[in-house]
Amino acid sequence: FKLHGNECFFVSEDKTDLLDWDESRHRCISMGSDLAQPQDMVDFVAYIEESYPESKSTIWLGATDKDVEQEWYWVSGEPVPPAMWKPWPANQPSGDGNCMEV
């Protein structure tokens, strides 16, 4: 885990250990945490680019629209605020089906 502000993040740098969203969430839960729910996406993306410049793997976030398409909710149950995506207007939440990634 790496501390960033008042949040801790874990990004596996093992290029052979590629997990889908469900597997990643289970791994996080087994480590006593959950998938990331960054509140400032600009800061989070900058942090990831700076801290993991060689990373080519998917970084799963703790949000899904599995219940209703394009209605994104954090794994905590809170809605993902649409304002988080203003810096990327043509790139709304993306992911593998119903799961958010960066």
Side-chain angles (χ1 to χ4, degrees), residues 2 6 19 21 26 28 32 34-35 37 41 47 54 67 92 97:
K2 289 185 182 179
N6 63 354
L19 306 175
W21 189 88
H26 288 309
C28 286
D34 209 331
L35 291 171
Q37 297 179 190
M41 285 301 291
Y47 165 74
E54 302 301 315
D67 293 331
Q92 293 300 305

Side-chain angles (χ1 to χ4, degrees), residues 8-80:
C8 281
F9 297 104
F10 175 82
V11 175
S12 174
E13 296 183 80
D14 181 350
K15 295 179 186 346
T16 65
D17 189 29
L18 303 177
L19 306 175
D20 66 24
W21 189 88
D22 289 312
E23 293 167 333
S24 295
R25 184 159 192 227
H26 288 309
R27 168 115 14 116
C28 286
I29 290 169
S30 75
M31 295 168 68
S33 191
D34 209 331
L35 291 171
Q37 297 179 190
Q39 299 305 301
D40 182 335
M41 285 301 291
V42 172
D43 179 65
F44 180 72
V45 169
Y47 165 74
I48 293 298
E49 289 173 346
E50 179 181 307
S51 300
Y52 305 95
E54 302 301 315
S55 177
K56 302 290 186 232
S57 63
T58 297
I59 296 175
W60 295 111
L61 299 179
T64 180
D65 71 343
K66 67 180 178 178
D67 293 331
V68 178
E69 190 66 27
Q70 294 303 311
E71 287 188 20
W72 291 89
Y73 284 86
W74 294 117
V75 292
S76 66
E78 297 294 315
V80 175

Side-chain angles (χ1 to χ4, degrees), residues 79-100:
V80 175
M84 289 183 67
W85 302 101
K86 283 188 179 178
W88 304 281
N91 190 19
Q92 293 300 305
S94 64
D96 178 18
N98 298 314
C99 307
M100 194 179 292

